[in-house]
Amino acid sequence: MHTEQKQILKSFIPPFIFIVVLWIVKGLEIYYRWDLGFLGVYPRHLEGLSGILTMPFIHADLKHLFSNSVPLLILGAALIFFYRELALRVFLWIYFLDGFWLWLGGRENFHIGASGLVYGLSSFLFFSGIFRRDTRLIAISLLVVFLYGGLLWGIFPDFLGVEVSWEAHLYGAAAGALLAWVLRKEGPQRKQYDWETEDDTDEEMIFIEGEPPSEEPPLPPPSISINYNYKPNQDTENPEQTKPSA
């Protein structure tokens, strides 16, 4: 198996483990008939601060959990594969920023679910490729739009006609976009081509402000003098000494 294929498979391991934990929590909740909704974020109440840590692990039902599991697996693996150096930082910052902003500005009710993480990861992958102007990463941005472009409507209040925490979606997306901008110069960067970094200073004229460029007059062509020296022929001076040829 090629090295790149191994890296792809390894990228799925951390999000897969995280999702397994989510399903274990839901399984225990169903088996013991618990109602763990009180572990969500309750905005602007001190007892609701602990929900910043526990909210992503609590889901209303199996459908809710499944709808978050698939995108978490795909987006999490993409984050690790393309942004390996930044993956853990990005995930943790989205995790806590989404929860904290939700506690500050959400409606007074218990907010549960990992959909804020889904929105945060998709937002980071989309904007990061654009900010870095890397064709490969931009392709990932377009793929995210193709797969999860419908998530956009989830950031508007009650657009879907059901009781969803659109605030968690909105704050998660905002956290992802913010991190994409802040970390745009870290991690993978756009390849610089030689023609983009050539130093053209040798071909450019540099002028000092306030002083016009000096123009020296061209040097005159070198003068050429020709001297003629005349030496008389002795035979011409003494014609009687010449002998005709036979």
Side-chain angles (χ1 to χ4, degrees):
M1 184 179 294
H2 298 295
T3 303
E4 187 172 356
Q5 293 176 335
K6 291 181 180 179
Q7 292 297 331
I8 294 175
L9 292 178
K10 289 181 179 179
S11 300
F12 280 91
I13 295 177
F16 178 77
I17 294 175
F18 182 76
I19 293 169
V20 168
V21 174
L22 299 185
W23 280 89
I24 290 175
V25 171
K26 190 60 185 176
L28 293 174
E29 187 179 12
I30 294 175
Y31 182 80
Y32 290 104
R33 297 182 180 180
W34 294 337
D35 184 3
L36 301 180
F38 67 94
L39 294 178
V41 172
Y42 200 93
R44 295 173 298 282
H45 287 260
L46 290 179
E47 60 272 19
L49 272 173
S50 60
I52 296 175
L53 292 175
T54 56
M55 176 185 70
F57 295 93
I58 312 302
H59 291 81
D61 49 36
L62 293 177
K63 181 181 178 182
H64 184 204
L65 176 57
F66 181 79
S67 65
N68 285 335
S69 297
V70 176
L72 276 176
L73 181 64
I74 296 175
L75 296 172
L79 176 69
I80 294 173
F81 182 76
F82 292 103
Y83 300 91
R84 186 169 301 275
E85 303 172 11
L86 307 175
L88 182 59
R89 256 195 297 169
V90 170
F91 180 83
L92 291 178
W93 272 108
I94 292 174
Y95 193 109
F96 289 106
L97 282 177
D98 178 47
F100 181 68
W101 289 346
L102 179 61
W103 183 82
L104 288 177
R107 288 167 293 175
E108 289 193 0
N109 205 338
F110 287 105
H111 298 256
I112 59 176
S115 53
L117 291 175
V118 173
Y119 275 79
L121 294 177
S122 59
S123 177
F124 176 84
L125 291 171
F126 174 75
F127 286 106
S128 185
I130 294 176
F131 293 154
R132 295 167 191 269
R133 295 185 298 169
D134 187 311
T135 53
R136 184 181 64 163
L137 299 178
I138 289 176
I140 299 302
S141 301
L142 296 177
L143 181 61
V144 169
V145 172
F146 176 76
L147 293 176
Y148 302 110
L151 294 177
L152 175 65
W153 306 113
I155 66 176
F156 298 106
D158 299 330
F159 179 84
L160 300 177
V162 295
E163 189 65 22
V164 297
S165 180
W166 60 269
E167 301 100 315
H169 301 169
L170 176 63
Y171 297 139
L178 176 63
L179 289 171
W181 174 256
V182 172
L183 301 176
R184 68 190 184 281
K185 295 184 179 180
E186 298 185 39
Q189 299 294 321
R190 185 171 68 94
K191 182 180 179 181
Q192 292 285 334
Y193 296 94
D194 293 339
W195 60 268
E196 294 181 291
T197 57
E198 287 180 354
D199 187 5
D200 297 331
T201 55
D202 294 339
E203 300 178 2
E204 297 178 353
M205 298 181 64
I206 302 176
F207 302 103
I208 300 176
E209 185 177 357
E211 297 183 8
S214 60
E215 295 183 0
E216 298 181 358
L219 296 176
S223 58
I224 302 175
S225 60
I226 302 175
N227 297 323
Y228 295 93
N229 295 323
Y230 175 75
K231 183 178 181 182
N233 192 339
Q234 295 179 356
D235 293 340
T236 307
E237 294 180 355
N238 302 306
E240 64 277 11
Q241 296 180 0
T242 61
K243 294 182 181 181
S245 59

